[in-house]
Amino acid sequence: MVRIDIISVLPELIESPFNASIIKRAIEKKIIEVHFHNLKDYASNKRKQVDDYQFGGGSGMVMMIEPINKCIDLLKTKRSYKEIIYMTPDGNMLTQKIANKLSIEGNLIVLCGHYKGVDQRVRDELITMEISIGDYVLSGGELPAAVLCDSIIRLIPGVLGDETSALSDSFQDDMLAPPVYTRPANFENLEVPKILLSGNKAKIEEWREEKALERTKKMRPDIFN
Ligand code: SAH
């Protein structure tokens, strides 16, 4: 079973996405285990302090290396981890390719930053991979970590049923997904494309490929090859 350990100063910010829908089912089916660690539990001082002022001055607190090191060290004595990931806006942009790769690899630690981020020595010495979810800055790494974990977990074999198959989703073949329709076939004269009601599987597949191609060329020429 794959295990993800998420380290954060505000674990309550990230727990709810794991308590619903597909991810919840994956946990219940014991395909994946997710554990949350409150960094404050690893603080060495009485005030449970995990951040401090920046050397050299400047606004914003920086997360200290000691509690992070202690937490990661403890986890590593118990099992091996494929990657120790830091969520950060200056990391590698999360893509479907990265999610695919991480979904088949093994145990992961995901570190969420806060404030100004973590002491650079954490990044230099403890982290093996840095991931951003986009070119914008959020106040903490919890939402990015939830996004990363969701993108990975839904790809683990056995998590999605037929009704939500990941293979037909956008980005799997450098393509966007085709448009989809459901009942009613006619809503106030807005009709579903006839071909989808024809029952002709081969023709429907052809239509879907054509539409996916059209959509990709129009919306994302950058991924089209
Ligand atoms: N001072 C940092 C930003 C810190 S934001 C900088 O300018 O680069 C605080 C924390 O939120 C970060 O440590 C990171 O864990 C998280 N975070 C913010 N935006 C993010 C993004 N786009 N992707 C991933 N993590 C992000």
Side-chain angles (χ1 to χ4, degrees):
M1 193 192 334
V2 184
R3 175 176 164 129
I4 303 180
D5 287 275
I6 301 175
I7 307 172
S8 152
V9 282
L10 286 168
E12 64 270 27
L13 250 183
I14 199 185
E15 282 168 14
S16 75
F18 294 88
N19 291 329
S21 184
I22 289 166
I23 303 188
K24 181 183 180 194
R25 251 186 294 146
I27 294 169
E28 282 169 356
K29 284 204 250 172
K30 304 213 181 314
I31 296 170
I32 175 103
E33 241 180 80
V34 182
H35 296 264
F36 303 97
H37 306 276
N38 192 333
L39 205 52
K40 290 181 184 142
D41 295 340
Y42 299 85
S44 46
N45 47 31
K46 280 203 201 78
R47 283 178 41 234
K48 300 262 172 233
Q49 186 187 0
V50 292
D51 58 312
D52 213 332
Y53 293 102
Q54 273 193 68
F55 278 131
S59 63
M61 304 295 271
V62 176
M63 288 170 66
M64 298 188 289
I65 189 169
E66 286 128 320
I68 298 172
N69 184 51
K70 198 166 167 191
C71 182
I72 291 177
D73 251 7
L74 189 72
L75 290 171
K76 288 204 309 199
T77 58
K78 295 191 177 148
R79 65 196 68 77
S80 66
Y81 287 91
K82 189 68 200 174
E83 300 286 358
I84 302 175
I85 301 167
Y86 174 48
M87 303 311 302
T88 179
D90 55 8
N92 287 320
M93 193 83 81
L94 178 60
T95 59
Q96 193 65 27
K97 275 198 186 68
I98 293 180
N100 279 331
K101 192 162 170 286
L102 291 174
S103 73
I104 50 170
E105 282 198 328
N107 300 331
L108 303 172
I109 294 177
V110 181
L111 173 63
C112 308
H114 252 276
Y115 323 117
K116 274 276 151 197
V118 299
D119 186 304
Q120 182 59 36
R121 290 167 293 185
V122 170
R123 302 176 65 167
D124 294 343
E125 303 300 324
L126 308 178
I127 296 297
T128 62
M129 194 176 190
E130 298 186 321
I131 297 182
S132 162
I133 63 159
D135 284 346
Y136 41 82
V137 176
L138 300 165
S139 39
E142 287 75 15
L143 297 177
V147 169
L148 172 69
C149 291
D150 187 318
S151 75
I152 295 170
I153 292 171
R154 64 195 298 284
L155 295 171
I156 299 173
V159 171
L160 292 185
D162 271 356
E163 74 283 12
T164 42
S165 165
L167 292 177
S168 56
D169 282 332
S170 289
F171 303 111
Q172 280 302 350
D173 298 312
D174 290 332
M175 288 278 267
L176 300 181
V180 290
Y181 298 86
T182 188
R183 287 187 287 182
N186 184 329
F187 171 71
E188 296 176 3
N189 287 333
L190 296 173
E191 291 198 19
V192 163
K194 289 253 171 338
I195 182 79
L196 297 178
L197 310 174
S198 70
N200 185 332
K201 283 216 161 81
K203 283 267 181 260
I204 291 174
E205 206 34 55
E206 219 173 89
W207 180 88
R208 285 188 171 143
E209 274 171 33
E210 196 184 297
K211 290 290 161 189
L213 201 72
E214 236 172 60
R215 186 176 266 187
T216 311
K217 276 186 184 164
K218 180 162 178 246
M219 307 299 291
R220 293 298 302 271
D222 57 309
I223 62 166
F224 180 70
N225 58 36

